Amino acid sequence: MGITVKELKELDKCTYQLIDIRDRIEIVHGAIAGAVAIKPEEIETSDEIDCSRKLIICCSRGKFSVEVAKTLCEKGLDAVSLEGGYIAWLIDRMNEPEEKNKAKDVEQSLRKKFKKTIWSRFTKAINTYELVKPGDRIAVCISGGKDSMIMAKCFQELKLHNKFDFEVRFMVMDPGYSKENRKVIVKNARNLNIPITIFESDIFDSVYHVEKSPCYLCARMRRGHLYHFAEKLGCNKIALGHHYDDVIETILMGMLYGGQIQTMMPKLHSTNFEGMELIRPLYLVREDDIKAWRDYNGLHFIQCACKFTDTCTTCNNEENRSKRVEIKELIKTLKQSNPYVEGNIFKSVENVNLDTIVAYKQNGSKHHFLERYDRNEQR
């Protein structure tokens, strides 16, 4: 009930349909060309699916897709699972002969085709929020996804045009990646001419058996390790690849799920590592533009290489779907009636009117409007 990537490549494309059942966030970071993205329960009823053809089901690593294919077969359809899933297809793609001058072509596209949408917004964030200063040694943290890779290329470009002296180091922390996922990261870095330094840690093993909020714990531990490894490299800042869409999604998530108004800041002082800062140079760059850059250059990345996604326990599982996916869908819906909704959400935390706020927190202390209400009346 399975088909290998090699066998897939030998099939006539007219005889089958490739169906990607991964989570939307995973698909955003990379997908097989021509695959139809759809939830398993919608396959039989969707107009996009031709049930008269062989249906090849693809998930992250070929685990969850086996059950989906089996269920479809029991209903009389010709369905098989893609063995190894998207990761297997990606590894096969990475094993193809390297294109000459790939890095140069990517850099040229950043200077020309994506100058306005990516490069100019990257430099605007650098200048607006004063993210890079003379004498800085910045650890550019690379996770293997599209966001951190474009950030690394932007920093390389910035070094060519820098008006003052600063240094960058390209750092990859391996918290326990599978051999296949690590190979993808290393191969992409080599193709893009990014000289990475890899550090080892055992974070995935530490959180693998944690039932409550393992992703939150993992993120906290990874942040600490990144600061620690950056210090070893003699750096005073770490750069993360969060972009504009991450910012507006965080604002809505805080309101709808956290009951608070907050945002993802463009830079932060570390509370545990004295003298260290976190910066987000892609703060003004849109995710769709990063995806366009990736697709234009024929690049393929992984979204997350942790053991939880590797075992496909979250593939289109409604109970485990990320709240961030729900927020993405909400913004998409709101945008249909208000095309300016994303910009308005972003600006909302820059235009806070404290005279109309019931209460707020500052430096750990909570303040209430009643503290100044009577005083204002007397004035």
Side-chain angles (χ1 to χ4, degrees):
M1 195 172 293
I3 185 172
T4 65
V5 174
K6 181 180 179 180
E7 292 170 337
L8 174 65
K9 292 163 67 176
E10 295 173 351
L11 290 179
D12 184 340
K13 292 185 178 180
C14 295
T15 63
Y16 70 88
Q17 193 165 26
L18 188 60
I19 301 174
D20 194 333
I21 60 171
R22 292 178 299 151
D23 187 273
R24 179 183 171 185
I25 290 182
E26 286 189 276
I27 293 173
V28 162
H29 285 77
I32 304 174
V36 178
I38 194 170
K39 298 177 182 179
E41 61 270 22
E42 297 175 353
I43 292 176
E44 296 175 83
T45 58
S46 174
D47 294 334
E48 294 183 87
I49 306 301
D50 183 357
C51 292
S52 65
R53 291 195 281 174
K54 178 185 288 292
L55 305 181
I56 300 177
I57 314 300
C58 172
C59 67
S60 179
R61 294 183 61 83
K63 305 291 185 181
F64 189 73
S65 57
V66 172
E67 288 300 318
V68 175
K70 181 180 178 181
T71 300
L72 292 173
C73 286
E74 291 173 350
K75 295 180 179 181
L77 299 178
D78 182 9
V80 295
S81 167
L82 179 62
E83 295 182 7
Y86 173 74
I87 294 297
W89 176 86
L90 184 55
I91 292 294
D92 181 81
R93 182 69 180 262
M94 302 298 285
N95 286 332
E96 294 178 358
E98 295 182 15
E99 297 180 39
K100 292 183 179 180
N101 301 320
K102 183 67 173 180
K104 290 184 178 180
D105 291 341
V106 169
E107 291 157 7
Q108 188 76 351
S109 73
L110 187 58
R111 297 184 189 117
K112 293 188 175 182
K113 184 174 179 62
F114 299 97
K115 180 179 180 179
K116 182 178 180 180
T117 56
I118 296 180
W119 171 247
S120 294
R121 293 179 182 177
F122 172 83
T123 55
K124 183 179 179 180
I126 294 289
N127 295 324
T128 301
Y129 304 113
E130 301 178 354
L131 302 183
V132 180
K133 296 182 178 180
D136 277 345
R137 290 175 61 95
I138 302 168
V140 179
C141 302
I142 297 175
S143 64
K146 67 186 190 321
D147 307 325
S148 60
M149 287 296 190
I150 185 61
M151 178 175 65
K153 295 309 295 181
C154 283
F155 265 109
Q156 286 182 322
E157 188 69 16
L158 189 65
K159 279 294 294 178
L160 297 177
H161 305 283
N162 62 302
K163 299 178 181 178
F164 50 79
D165 189 39
F166 71 94
E167 296 183 36
V168 291
R169 297 288 185 270
F170 302 100
M171 182 175 75
V172 175
M173 183 188 67
D174 183 346
Y177 291 143
S178 67
K179 181 174 64 176
E180 294 81 5
N181 285 322
R182 177 158 168 165
K183 182 178 179 181
V184 171
I185 295 172
V186 172
K187 185 84 170 181
N188 271 325
R190 185 184 303 122
N191 289 347
L192 294 175
N193 195 28
I194 301 172
I196 59 175
T197 298
I198 301 178
F199 291 94
E200 310 280 349
S201 73
D202 60 355
I203 294 176
F204 285 169
D205 287 337
S206 299
V207 303
Y208 186 59
H209 296 291
V210 175
E211 294 184 5
K212 187 177 181 180
S213 302
C215 295
Y216 173 78
L217 177 60
C218 179
R220 289 291 299 269
M221 292 179 67
R222 291 173 79 165
R223 184 73 54 83
H225 278 71
L226 289 174
Y227 276 125
H228 177 67
F229 293 139
E231 277 191 330
K232 281 189 173 183
L233 291 177
C235 297
N236 65 308
K237 292 181 178 179
I238 63 172
L240 302 185
H242 298 117
H243 47 66
Y244 184 95
D245 297 71
D246 290 324
V247 176
I248 61 176
E249 289 161 14
T250 298
I251 295 170
L252 277 188
M253 287 178 70
M255 294 174 64
L256 301 181
Y257 299 116
Q260 57 185 335
I261 297 176
Q262 61 177 9
T263 189
M264 181 181 282
M265 297 295 287
K267 63 180 181 181
L268 291 169
H269 287 291
S270 171
T271 55
N272 298 316
F273 293 81
E274 186 177 355
M276 294 290 291
E277 283 185 77
L278 179 156
I279 62 174
R280 296 184 168 103
L282 299 181
Y283 203 77
L284 302 178
V285 179
R286 299 304 308 266
E287 184 175 33
D288 281 346
D289 294 322
I290 298 175
K291 288 159 58 180
W293 166 82
R294 175 201 65 195
D295 297 341
Y296 177 81
N297 289 290
L299 301 171
H300 298 277
F301 303 110
I302 54 176
Q303 176 245 334
C304 178
C306 80
K307 293 183 178 180
F308 299 101
T309 53
D310 275 359
T311 52
C312 293
T313 57
T314 60
C315 282
N316 283 319
N317 185 328
E318 287 295 331
E319 294 181 357
N320 294 319
R321 289 181 70 209
S322 164
K323 286 184 172 59
R324 193 167 290 273
V325 175
E326 297 174 13
I327 292 296
K328 281 181 179 290
E329 294 174 351
L330 174 60
I331 293 174
K332 183 179 179 181
T333 301
L334 293 173
K335 193 176 178 181
Q336 292 174 0
S337 58
N338 179 5
Y340 305 107
V341 68
E342 293 159 308
N344 289 340
I345 295 171
F346 186 88
K347 293 175 183 177
S348 68
V349 292
E350 295 182 345
N351 298 314
V352 178
N353 186 347
L354 289 181
D355 290 334
T356 63
I357 297 296
V358 175
Y360 65 94
K361 290 181 181 179
Q362 187 174 32
N363 298 325
S365 298
K366 187 172 182 178
H367 301 275
H368 199 275
F369 85 103
L370 289 177
E371 295 173 8
R372 63 183 188 279
Y373 181 75
D374 290 333
R375 292 199 302 269
N376 290 341
E377 182 183 38
Q378 293 172 2
R379 291 175 186 174

